[in-house]
Every structure is written in structure tokens, then in C-alpha cells.
Amino acid sequence: HPHIEIDQFLAQSTGAGTLLERVCPAHVYSVGDDGSIRVLCAACLECGTCYQVAPLGVLKWTYPQGGTGVVYREG
Ligand code: SF4
């Protein structure tokens, strides 16, 4: 079960694909020749940036099973 789901129609109508491509540090998103947005969930760093910047309703984003997001450690 992918932890990122995208509403293709809404994403294309809002131009969100280009935005998602630009903000994701892991290059999870890419826009295909047909304008559809491809998502490579396995590369996600769980930083949450895409979810914060995507237009409302474009993304359904949850932590993957066993994921806890980015953890910062000293040392
Ligand atoms: Fe990319 Fe971060 Fe979104 Fe994962 S949570 S897809 S790493 S922007």
C-alpha cells in the first residue's frame, strides 16, 4: 500500500507536478510526457515537504508502515 496517493486530475489542473518535482529532495516525483505525475514512494525521506506545499486535495500522505519521519541525532 503506497503511503503517497495523488489525485492526477487535480494535480494536472493545478500544475502541482512541477512544484512537487522542485521541492522534493529525494526526486520522488516526475512529470511524464503525457502530463501524469509519477511517484516513486520507496525513495521518500518522509520529510513532509510535498504535503505542506501541494494544493489542497492533490496528495494523500501518511507515514509509511514503520516510518516515523526524519529523525535528527547529535553526534
Ligand atoms: Fe519527497 Fe519529502 Fe514528500 Fe517524501 S515527504 S515525497 S522526500 S518531499
Side-chain angles (χ1 to χ4, degrees):
H1 181 69
H3 73 287
I4 302 171
E5 293 179 42
I6 193 158
D7 183 324
Q8 289 287 347
F9 178 78
L10 193 55
Q12 290 181 42
S13 64
T14 59
T18 306
L19 175 66
L20 294 171
E21 269 186 326
R22 285 177 31 207
V23 301
C24 179
H27 307 292
V28 167
Y29 301 97
S30 60
V31 180
D33 292 338
D34 61 355
S36 66
I37 301 165
R38 296 175 187 145
V39 185
L40 186 60
C41 291
C44 178
L45 302 171
E46 303 171 29
C47 69
T49 304
C50 58
Y51 185 67
Q52 294 298 320
V53 303
L56 195 64
V58 167
L59 289 182
K60 282 186 187 166
W61 194 100
T62 56
Y63 284 117
Q65 198 168 23
T68 55
V70 176
V71 176
Y72 296 97
R73 297 191 176 112
E74 275 188 57

